[in-house]
Amino acid sequence: MKKISYRHIYTLNESMYEIYCQNGFKVILIPRENYLQTEMNLTINFGHLNKHINDTIEIPKGTAHFLEHIIFENNSKVWLDLLETPNIDLNASTNLFRTSFTLSTNKKIDEVIHQFYNSILDLEITESSIKKEREIIKHELSMYTENREWKAKMKLLRNMYKSDCMSTDIIGTMKSIDEINKSILLKAHKYFYTPNNIVLCIIGPVNFHNIKTFLDENTSILIPSHFVPSPSIEEPMTVNKKADYQPNNSNSIYIGYKVLNTDNIGNLKFKLLLDLYIHLLEEESKTLYNDFLITLDIEVDSFKGIANILFFSNAINLDSLENLIDVCKQNINMNSICDSYFNHIILKKKGELLSTFNSSKKLARQIIDNHLQNSDFLKVLTILDSITKEEVLSMEDKVFYNNNKSVLHNFS
């Protein structure tokens, strides 16, 4: 064991241990003796944004997702025994910057942590498993491409971003999926799936000393390590294409806004401010439905200071949609947002966050996702309490400015 740090989480009245192992492996442990279920989230700092191995070997789009499939469907006896064990739920997911494997159980964690850890790090890949998963993934992608909302979203993102990874699905493309082979998967696993590139979060009725014993026995061997930098995105403030048209079986208009955190606000605060401002916009648009007969569905996604805000609507006329957005913006100002209403939306957001804290599975995911973006999710309630109405309303200038908007006209 290299280092153990302890902190008391005052907002939860709980303890948290951060354990740093000799081989670079990091474990975040939150004991919850009154909970029946234990949640484990083992996350690798490897996602859709990673384009190269060791800055030299280019990897096809969708490699991180493909490797996740291969690991989850591997036929090793240890993994199969784990899948067939009663009262254990296993899952996996990949996003822009990470791959996660999760385990939920009401069994003693000592009985399964060794299997879980080693099954992901020790991997054998066969040509037959690659062929099988390639067919499954391509079928998954073909289902997406038949969905008009998915096609419109991908088209809009391509028009907004210079980075092709930001504008393609994590699955990849039909061409890139065919390019992924055994050699690429083995090299990616060897390079990214190393202890110093992995974080394990455990939350539930676990004993700190038992976890420490497991780590002492399994992570003391020093292995050749290398630094894997977290992926970053360099994007201009402007969009690639301001307007475009796409054949579809419905007439509708979508608008995407690319928002950059140019003021270097912390990632957590930036996301909170965006969420609160977009909530105000959505609520205001509902009050104007009888005037415009337009419904707005706003999707917000942010990563390391870059956010895309997508406005999906039933509008068939761009002027009407832009007029609705303008009226919403005008109606949201210091005079119209009284203190009691602002406090109400803060309390509503706090309720959402407390729900996340109460769910060990959601909390583990948020802790790790924010950790990989150099943010501390456990400070989110304190940050929320510090946010002012002026800060939220100032987000209008960050969301709506010249040349950060792309419009997609769908037509039948």
Side-chain angles (χ1 to χ4, degrees):
M1 199 66 58
K2 186 177 180 181
K3 176 185 173 184
I4 300 173
S5 66
Y6 167 84
R7 80 192 251 203
H8 186 74
I9 311 168
Y10 291 97
T11 51
L12 301 178
N13 194 27
E14 293 181 324
S15 301
M16 184 180 84
Y17 300 89
E18 292 181 277
I19 306 169
Y20 301 84
C21 304
Q22 287 290 100
N23 63 357
F25 186 53
K26 181 179 178 181
V27 178
I28 299 171
L29 175 64
I30 300 179
R32 286 183 160 176
E33 299 302 328
N34 295 327
Y35 280 59
L36 297 176
Q37 197 87 350
T38 298
E39 303 291 342
M40 288 200 294
N41 184 316
L42 189 147
T43 291
I44 299 88
N45 180 28
F46 175 42
H48 186 55
L49 288 177
N50 294 94
K51 298 180 180 180
H52 297 88
I53 297 172
N54 200 24
D55 292 329
T56 56
I57 303 172
E58 188 173 354
I59 55 178
K61 297 181 187 70
T63 298
H65 175 258
F66 202 123
L67 187 54
E68 173 220 309
H69 267 247
I70 291 291
I71 293 172
F72 196 81
E73 298 297 334
N74 85 76
N75 291 320
S76 72
K77 185 179 184 307
V78 174
W79 185 255
L80 291 175
D81 287 346
L82 198 58
L83 284 171
E84 294 170 3
T85 303
N87 301 316
I88 285 182
D89 179 40
L90 290 162
N91 216 325
S93 64
T94 303
N95 68 13
L96 287 174
F97 57 93
R98 58 94 179 132
T99 304
S100 294
F101 298 87
T102 61
L103 183 150
S104 304
T105 183
N106 56 16
K107 296 171 66 70
K108 288 186 176 179
I109 204 71
D110 318 37
E111 300 174 11
V112 296
I113 187 172
H114 188 276
Q115 294 168 279
F116 184 59
Y117 175 82
N118 286 310
S119 295
I120 294 169
L121 267 65
D122 298 332
L123 180 65
E124 292 184 9
I125 303 176
T126 64
E127 292 292 350
S128 60
S129 65
I130 293 173
K131 181 180 178 182
K132 175 188 171 186
E133 294 308 315
R134 179 178 285 119
E135 291 175 358
I136 291 171
I137 293 168
K138 290 177 80 171
H139 177 68
E140 185 180 350
L141 181 57
S142 67
M143 291 176 63
Y144 283 138
T145 56
E146 293 171 4
N147 183 293
R148 71 182 188 188
E149 297 291 335
W150 182 90
K151 287 198 296 184
K153 179 179 177 179
M154 290 299 109
K155 181 79 168 176
L156 197 53
L157 290 173
R158 281 195 297 274
N159 292 341
M160 291 168 63
Y161 286 97
K162 182 179 78 171
S163 168
D164 55 357
C165 282
M166 290 293 291
S167 56
T168 55
D169 196 274
I170 60 159
I171 294 176
T173 64
M174 290 295 183
K175 182 176 182 292
S176 69
I177 293 168
D178 280 334
E179 293 171 346
I180 299 170
N181 56 38
K182 183 176 180 179
S183 174
I184 289 170
L185 292 168
L186 286 171
K187 287 175 182 176
H189 188 268
K190 182 179 180 180
Y191 181 73
F192 291 105
Y193 282 65
T194 56
N196 63 336
N197 199 43
I198 296 175
V199 181
L200 173 64
C201 185
I202 306 173
I203 304 178
V206 294
N207 183 287
F208 166 75
H209 297 289
N210 291 347
I211 298 298
K212 183 178 178 298
T213 299
F214 161 78
L215 294 172
D216 285 335
E217 293 173 352
N218 290 273
T219 65
S220 58
I221 300 174
L222 292 175
I223 61 172
S225 61
H226 50 265
F227 174 69
V228 181
S230 295
S232 59
I233 313 168
E234 293 184 4
E235 279 286 328
M237 295 182 68
T238 57
V239 293
N240 276 347
K241 200 171 186 179
K242 293 184 178 181
D244 205 354
Y245 297 84
Q246 175 168 278
N248 211 320
N249 58 2
S250 69
N251 293 318
S252 57
I253 296 172
Y254 300 155
I255 300 179
Y257 294 88
K258 180 165 68 173
V259 183
L260 304 186
N261 182 7
T262 53
D263 294 339
N264 294 318
I265 304 169
N267 289 329
L268 262 177
K269 186 170 184 177
F270 179 67
K271 186 177 187 311
L272 284 172
L273 288 171
L274 269 181
D275 288 346
L276 292 168
Y277 180 72
I278 295 303
H279 174 77
L280 289 174
L281 275 179
E282 283 187 304
E283 292 302 304
E284 186 62 30
S285 72
K286 292 174 185 175
T287 68
L288 297 169
Y289 177 77
N290 288 335
D291 296 327
F292 290 88
L293 300 179
I294 294 175
T295 56
L296 278 184
D297 181 17
I298 309 177
E299 180 181 309
V300 182
D301 193 19
S302 62
F303 164 72
K304 282 192 174 181
I306 296 181
N308 45 266
I309 304 175
L310 307 182
F311 286 71
F312 300 98
S313 76
N314 63 337
I316 59 175
N317 180 280
L318 178 59
D319 289 340
S320 298
L321 177 56
E322 289 185 325
N323 190 23
L324 168 62
I325 295 173
D326 286 341
V327 173
C328 288
K329 288 159 53 180
Q330 292 165 13
N331 290 352
I332 299 171
N333 55 59
M334 288 296 292
N335 295 325
S336 66
I337 306 298
C338 63
D339 290 342
S340 60
Y341 180 58
F342 180 74
N343 291 334
H344 168 74
I345 66 167
I346 292 291
L347 286 174
K348 183 176 180 180
K349 188 64 182 179
K350 185 175 290 187
E352 294 173 8
L353 293 169
L354 287 173
S355 175
T356 297
F357 278 103
N358 287 332
S359 165
S360 297
K361 180 178 290 187
K362 292 179 181 178
L363 179 58
R365 184 175 68 245
Q366 287 290 349
I367 286 174
I368 286 188
D369 279 2
N370 281 276
H371 172 77
L372 294 179
Q373 298 182 66
N374 301 316
S375 298
D376 184 356
F377 184 72
L378 297 177
K379 295 180 178 178
V380 68
L381 291 174
T382 303
I383 294 171
L384 179 64
D385 284 336
S386 72
I387 286 176
T388 65
K389 181 168 63 173
E390 290 81 1
E391 287 178 307
V392 174
L393 296 179
S394 72
M395 293 305 290
E396 177 184 333
D397 294 333
K398 296 177 177 61
V399 174
F400 304 104
Y401 57 87
N402 290 334
N403 302 321
N404 78 320
K405 177 179 72 174
S406 184
V407 178
L408 179 64
H409 300 257
N410 293 299
F411 61 91
S412 55

